[in-house]
Amino acid sequence: MANLVYKRVSTDQQSTDRQNLVLDEARIEDPVVFEEEPGTSSRLHPLQRPKFGELLTYARPGDTVHISEMFRLVRGTGHILDVLDVLHRDRLALRIHDGAFSAMDLTARHPRTGELLSTVKFMVQTLAAAGELQRDLQRELTYDGLRAADAKGNKGGRRPALAGETIAGVRTAYLEGQSIAALAREHSVSRGAVRTAVADLLPEHVADEVAPAPELLVTLDMPGKVAEFLRTTELDDAERAALDEGQAVRRGTGYTLRVTAVPAVHRQLLDRCQVLDGAGAIPAQRKARREYENRVSTLVAETL
């Protein structure tokens, strides 16, 4: 029986050092490692990621999939349940070595129905929701911190390689005919740093060009039946991100998904579900889609 190790980081600035430490401490025997390319987003469904797909192709019944923590593999309740279904189908075990899920047997099924145990499903949903809440709170705190810093006149981001009087000297030298490459060598910086310092002096710069104002984010309630259809539809990255980050709001026996995105993305999502208004559509889906169309149309009218 093989031990299959899966690793992933969300950005190319991150490393797998922490995952390596946790997995090394687990003393996994003869691990076969599958590591995604750096920057593989957690928003991409695990079953659509290249290396996890290779892992499933390589795996045989009885093998064990090892991950350092659950959120290296999945993002949100839907992803977790989808992966558990595939692991059950292929008769693979899942071992999580750190975090809230590390003490649970997530592959446990009812002996007669074969369905995921209700207690396991409840714990998965609860812990996944807690993880999403933690990430949301981190984003909010980061945003508030940036606003506070901005109010004090502090700007975030990397400090410029050239600053103050040095920039003035570089600009003067450039106007006098010194090349960007020569200036970069003289000041021991990259050519990009020099180009940034003299950007408005470059031949391709158009002084009177005005960039269009960015679209503002708008929150819109999407009927649950529309959201369920879109989750099974091929979407681009912006559409998928908006859907994944939506907040479910219970409405009686159903729900709506509160989606925050720019108006263009809302219009694209509406276009994706045109089929729900076709002749073969279920009446409830047709009604939900038309309700969604009315909300998007109102949004478009308000943004004109």
Side-chain angles (χ1 to χ4, degrees):
M1 304 298 180
N3 290 307
L4 314 179
V5 172
Y6 178 76
K7 302 178 186 179
R8 182 192 63 81
V9 290
S10 299
T11 72
D12 53 13
Q13 281 78 45
Q14 295 175 323
S15 74
T16 57
D17 290 348
R18 182 180 178 281
Q19 296 174 65
N20 294 339
L21 177 63
V22 171
L23 294 167
D24 289 345
E25 290 176 344
R27 301 186 182 278
I28 301 169
E29 185 177 354
D30 299 325
V32 182
V33 178
F34 297 83
E35 183 174 339
E36 299 287 359
E37 289 294 321
T40 301
S41 173
S42 59
R43 294 173 180 171
L44 182 63
H45 197 292
L47 301 180
Q48 297 175 346
R49 296 180 199 152
K51 288 300 179 180
F52 191 65
E54 288 182 20
L55 181 152
L56 293 176
T57 301
Y58 181 92
R60 295 293 180 269
D63 289 351
T64 301
V65 179
H66 297 265
I67 52 178
S68 61
E69 56 187 343
M70 177 59 86
F71 295 107
R72 292 299 99 204
L73 176 60
V74 296
R75 180 181 187 271
T77 308
H79 288 188
I80 296 176
L81 297 178
D82 288 346
V83 169
L84 292 180
D85 282 342
V86 170
L87 295 180
H88 174 67
R89 179 199 68 192
D90 295 345
R91 288 182 287 166
L92 303 175
L94 176 64
R95 180 71 190 277
I96 305 161
H97 294 277
D98 195 21
F101 292 93
S102 57
M104 295 176 59
D105 179 9
L106 298 181
T107 55
R109 299 270 168 167
H110 192 282
R112 289 183 293 278
T113 66
E115 295 181 353
L116 195 67
L117 287 179
S118 56
T119 51
V120 172
K121 190 173 183 179
F122 172 76
M123 288 300 298
V124 165
Q125 292 171 334
T126 301
L127 291 173
E132 290 176 357
L133 174 62
Q134 181 184 20
R135 290 195 299 274
D136 289 342
L137 289 173
Q138 287 174 338
R139 282 196 295 267
E140 290 174 5
L141 290 172
T142 299
Y143 175 72
D144 290 342
L146 291 173
R147 285 186 61 203
D150 185 63
K152 292 181 179 180
N154 299 325
K155 302 298 181 182
R158 183 181 298 174
R159 295 183 180 276
L162 297 170
E165 295 181 0
T166 305
I167 286 184
V170 166
R171 290 168 64 84
T172 300
Y174 179 77
L175 289 172
E176 290 175 351
Q178 196 165 348
S179 71
I180 288 177
L183 288 167
R185 288 193 299 270
E186 179 181 340
H187 294 278
S188 300
V189 297
S190 68
R191 296 185 185 185
V194 176
R195 289 183 66 85
T196 298
V198 301
D200 60 320
L201 306 178
L202 297 174
E204 61 266 30
H205 179 76
V206 181
D208 59 353
E209 183 178 349
V210 178
E215 287 190 293
L216 298 177
L217 294 174
V218 178
T219 300
L220 197 65
D221 283 353
M222 175 188 295
K225 292 189 181 301
V226 172
E228 290 168 5
F229 171 78
L230 289 173
R231 291 190 194 282
T232 65
T233 304
E234 185 176 348
L235 305 175
D236 65 25
D237 290 344
E239 295 165 353
R240 180 64 63 186
L243 204 65
D244 287 347
E245 293 177 2
Q247 301 295 317
V249 179
R250 290 293 167 188
R251 304 290 188 193
T253 58
Y255 75 98
T256 61
L257 190 68
R258 190 153 291 165
V259 177
T260 299
V262 296
V265 170
H266 285 299
R267 292 192 291 270
Q268 288 167 208
L269 289 170
L270 175 63
D271 290 341
R272 298 283 191 188
C273 60
Q274 291 289 346
V275 66
L276 295 183
D277 205 23
I282 299 172
Q285 290 181 319
R286 186 182 298 115
K287 179 181 178 181
R289 188 252 165 212
R290 290 180 178 176
E291 181 180 348
Y292 182 48
E293 182 178 27
N294 291 336
R295 294 175 184 174
V296 173
S297 298
T298 302
L299 166 67
V300 171
E302 291 175 350
T303 56
L304 291 177

